[in-house]
Amino acid sequence: MNTVLGKERTIGGLPVAVVWGYVATLLFMVGDGLEHAWLSPYLIEQGLTVQQSATLFTAYGAVLAIASYFSGVLTEAWGPRRVMIAGMIAWLVGQILFIEFGLKDLNYAVMLPTYAIRGLGYPLFCYSFLVWVTYRSPERILATAVGLFWAAWSGGLYVVGSYFPAFMIPKIGYIGLMWSAIIWVLIGGIVGIFVVKDTKMGKSSANSAKDKFKSLLSGLTICIEKPKVAIGGIVRIINSTGIGAFPIFFPLYLSSEYGYTTEEWLQIWGTMWVANIAFNLVIPYISDRWLGWRNTIMWIGSVGCGVMTLVMLYTPQVFGYNFWAMMLVGIFFGIVLTGYVPLTALVSSMAPDKKGSAMAVVNLGAGLAYFIAPAIVGAFIGSIGVHGVMWIFALLYFVSAILMIFMKLPNEEKQDENVAEKQSGERRELAEIK
């Protein structure tokens, strides 16, 4: 329902501009994700080696991680609109050069740097918008607002970004599909830039070069000033590392050991993300209204993902080849994964005057997962096998649950102190009576 608070129109308590920003995020991420599911096999079929393809995506991931970090602090220093414009331009430049001078001729020397440049795009565009969301959204629905962002992000990258290529590749081919991505990004970029205003984002916003340099470093210094922000960054790494590693090795395991086809795995994986997007709207609402951010991350996100990692491992051992059993596992995995959504709201609330800096740490954690996930698989798959690697990821999820014990908001700590004082007083009174 549309309402008006003061002079600002809202939808469900969120400013209309924020809602349009979700639309922009979805459209941008469709364009960014059109090639993710097929580019590597395509390049290998065209003559590149597996190592060359892996290096291409590693370079992309390296730039993506750097851009993820700077998205938050640059937003505070320069304002969200400028950072979003920079992200859109970087993506468009990288995409056009990658297609025209790299992909068409399979010129690897050109593909490597141009695809890496493209990695600047969505973190600068989408994550700077996310910082803006944390400032513009009322705290009572902040986790819901963040959940809607991730629903739009995932819907563009994993859902539309998967189904659209499946429909269009037979009609326009791989190169044509890559060109069509530009249209998606342009439309999403223009919508986002139009609705987001360059408002002051926090005390760290400044005009001098010295203050802007300090702002760039604030994402690192805030980890010293507020250790809980650093803990949140570690939890964010764990959040994406486990789920991000599964496509590297688990489909091969299901195929070789139990006879699952690639198409069946893609259906399981895609349905998991559909469930994730649907519950991105439900779990954060429950978190805001009843369960609380920290408990949601600890029990639904961390413990839930740890348990579901092991369920995913042992389901085929118990049931053998059973497509629907694995589909059900995927659905539940997608649901519990949404338990991590309130992490953004929680960490940003740890530094209310430096939300951009805190978000830089969270975004860096998301980017670093692109390195850590394949590193764990590469380091341990040969020695301890699939079972051992899955247990590593399950244990990491359980570790994130333990870390959440220390992530209490100031009001929660004050409540604990009041309870402790009350219990201490009761004990003293009891001792006096005795």
Side-chain angles (χ1 to χ4, degrees):
M1 179 182 293
N2 286 17
T3 60
V4 178
L5 293 179
K7 293 183 179 180
E8 187 172 43
R9 296 177 65 245
T10 66
I11 300 176
L14 290 170
V16 172
V18 170
V19 176
W20 275 106
Y22 296 142
V23 175
T25 298
L26 186 145
L27 294 173
F28 194 101
M29 291 310 300
V30 171
D32 185 77
L34 287 184
E35 87 288 350
H36 285 187
W38 58 264
L39 182 59
S40 181
Y42 172 80
L43 293 176
I44 294 170
E45 288 176 3
Q46 298 301 310
L48 265 65
T49 66
V50 175
Q51 291 77 11
Q52 285 176 317
S53 178
T55 301
L56 182 73
F57 285 97
T58 300
Y60 172 83
V63 175
L64 188 147
I66 295 170
S68 297
Y69 167 75
F70 282 109
S71 61
V73 290
L74 284 175
T75 300
E76 288 199 334
W78 297 342
R81 177 180 285 179
R82 295 178 185 177
V83 181
M84 292 171 74
I85 292 173
M88 183 179 71
I89 292 174
W91 191 96
L92 291 171
V93 169
Q95 179 80 348
I96 292 170
L97 295 177
F98 176 74
I99 299 172
E100 187 63 30
F101 301 103
L103 188 60
K104 280 186 175 180
D105 300 324
L106 284 179
N107 188 332
Y108 187 72
V110 174
M111 284 194 291
L112 195 62
T114 54
Y115 199 65
I117 291 172
R118 190 176 175 277
L120 293 168
Y122 93 69
L124 293 181
F125 184 88
C126 296
Y127 292 164
S128 59
F129 167 70
L130 179 58
V131 174
W132 191 65
V133 169
T134 65
Y135 276 97
R136 293 296 308 278
S137 304
E139 186 168 346
R140 61 185 173 81
I141 57 170
L142 184 53
T144 301
V146 173
L148 287 168
F149 167 83
W150 288 114
W153 186 91
S154 302
L157 181 63
Y158 293 114
V159 180
V160 183
S162 297
Y163 290 115
F164 184 78
F167 178 73
M168 292 301 295
I169 286 175
K171 295 178 172 56
I172 61 177
Y174 293 101
I175 303 297
L177 183 69
M178 292 293 284
W179 283 117
S180 74
I182 294 175
I183 299 173
W184 289 92
V185 168
L186 270 176
I187 297 174
I190 291 170
V191 171
I193 292 166
F194 178 77
V195 300
V196 172
K197 309 299 182 183
D198 266 334
T199 52
K200 188 175 181 180
M201 304 303 294
K203 291 182 178 179
S204 63
S205 294
N207 294 321
S208 71
K210 180 179 179 181
D211 286 340
K212 286 183 177 180
F213 179 72
K214 287 173 64 177
S215 178
L216 295 179
L217 295 179
S218 64
L220 300 176
T221 58
I222 198 173
C223 292
I224 301 174
E225 298 169 6
K226 299 182 181 294
K228 290 181 182 178
V229 173
I231 294 174
I234 295 172
V235 173
R236 184 65 181 89
I237 292 173
I238 295 172
N239 168 205
S240 293
T241 296
I243 201 69
F246 295 156
I248 299 173
F249 69 97
F250 202 67
L252 298 175
Y253 169 74
L254 290 178
S255 173
S256 61
E257 297 293 329
Y258 299 101
Y260 286 84
T261 66
T262 300
E263 290 75 16
E264 287 172 329
W265 163 254
L266 290 174
Q267 291 177 48
I268 294 167
W269 186 250
T271 305
M272 185 191 81
W273 286 105
V274 171
N276 176 265
I277 292 168
F279 278 82
N280 256 331
L281 311 179
V282 177
I283 299 300
Y285 180 83
I286 294 173
S287 173
D288 281 332
R289 291 299 182 95
W290 299 293
L291 194 56
W293 297 341
R294 188 169 65 94
N295 287 331
T296 301
I297 300 165
M298 182 186 298
W299 296 109
I300 298 180
S302 303
V303 174
C305 285
V307 170
M308 290 310 302
T309 298
L310 298 179
V311 172
M312 180 173 280
L313 171 64
Y314 289 109
T315 293
Q317 296 183 32
V318 174
F319 296 101
Y321 171 82
N322 190 318
F323 174 77
W324 293 109
M326 284 301 295
M327 178 71 79
L328 190 62
V329 171
I331 290 171
F332 276 105
F333 210 133
I335 292 172
V336 298
L337 188 61
T338 61
Y340 277 105
V341 168
L343 182 64
T344 300
L346 180 63
V347 175
S348 64
S349 296
M350 296 291 178
D353 295 330
K354 294 183 178 181
K355 288 187 177 181
S357 302
M359 289 293 297
V361 176
V362 176
N363 294 341
L364 178 63
L368 285 175
Y370 282 88
F371 293 99
I372 295 175
I376 291 175
V377 175
F380 295 104
I381 195 76
S383 57
I384 60 178
V386 170
H387 284 67
V389 171
M390 291 290 278
W391 268 98
I392 288 176
F393 290 126
L395 291 174
L396 284 174
Y397 281 124
F398 294 137
V399 167
S400 77
I402 296 172
L403 291 175
M404 290 311 302
I405 295 173
F406 306 99
M407 294 289 286
K408 292 182 180 179
L409 289 167
N411 63 324
E412 292 178 308
E413 293 180 338
K414 190 172 182 179
Q415 289 175 359
D416 290 346
E417 290 174 1
N418 292 337
V419 170
E421 289 177 3
K422 183 178 179 181
Q423 291 175 344
S424 178
E426 291 174 349
R427 284 194 295 268
R428 285 194 301 267
E429 291 176 2
L430 184 60
E432 290 173 0
I433 294 173
K434 290 182 178 179

